Amino acid sequence: MPTALTDDIWWYDLRGVNATLVDDDGALTLVDTGLPWHGNGLIAGLSDAGYELRDLDRILLTHFDFDHVGGLSAFDGLDVTIYVGERDAPLVTGEQASPLGNHKGAFQRFLSALLDAPDNEVVPLADGDTIGSFTVYHTPGHTPGHVCYVGEELSLGLLGDLVREDSGRFEPSPWLMSYDTDAVARSISDFADRSPAFEVAVPGHGVPFEKSGSERLDRLAATL
Ligand SMILES: [Zn+2]
C-alpha cells in the first residue's frame, strides 16, 4: 500500500528500495519499479491510490539497476512509455551489456541475466529534457546514465541512487554500489547548484523527506 506524501505523490516502500507514483497534472507517472517480484505490488498500489492500471501513462527510471528496473516486465504489452537516461537506455533495452571492467558493471552483468528486456518503447533522456512537469538532470556516478527528476510545481525531487537516506539525512551512494564515487560527489554538488528548490525528496533507498528536501541535499553538498 503506497503512502501519500502529498495529494499527488505516493511513496511505495518496497522493503529496501523505493518507487514513487505521481499524478503529474493528469499524467500518471511511476518512478522506478523495484525488484522483479515487485511488479504486482506496484499495480495493486495504483488502485490503493485511486487509479487503474490503464491510467498509467509513463514510467521514469532513475537508472539501470536490478532493484529499479526489475518490475518493468509487469507492464509489458501496455501503452506505457519508459524513460531513462541515455547512457543507461541500451542496458534497459538489452542492446548493450554492462562493462565487466568496473566492479559495479560486473555486478550488473551478473544480475542482468535475471532480467527480460521490456516490450515497451524506451525513450533515452538527455540533461535538460522535460517530461510533463519534470526536468531531467544527468547525475552520473552511481551509474553512467543516472538521472534525477525535479518537478518544480510539484515541489518534488526524485533522486534515485545519487544519494540514500540513512538516520534522517542524505549520504552519497556508497563505493560498492557505484561506478565512480568521485563522479557521485561531483554530481551531488552539480545537482545541488543547478536544481530549483523542492520540499519533497524521494531517494532510491531510505525514507523520503516531505519537507526541505533540496536544503538537506545542499547540506550534504557542502560537506563534499
Ligand atoms: Zn538502488
Side-chain angles (χ1 to χ4, degrees), residues 102-105 107 142 164 173-181:
N102 177 283
H103 67 283
K104 172 65 185 284
F107 185 53
H142 181 80
R164 54 174 58 203
S173 173
W175 178 84
L176 187 64
M177 297 310 296
S178 298
Y179 271 77
D180 180 342
T181 42

Side-chain angles (χ1 to χ4, degrees), residues 17 63 65 67-68 142 161 205:
V17 63
H63 63 292
D65 249 343
D67 56 342
H68 296 258
H142 181 80
D161 287 2
H205 304 272

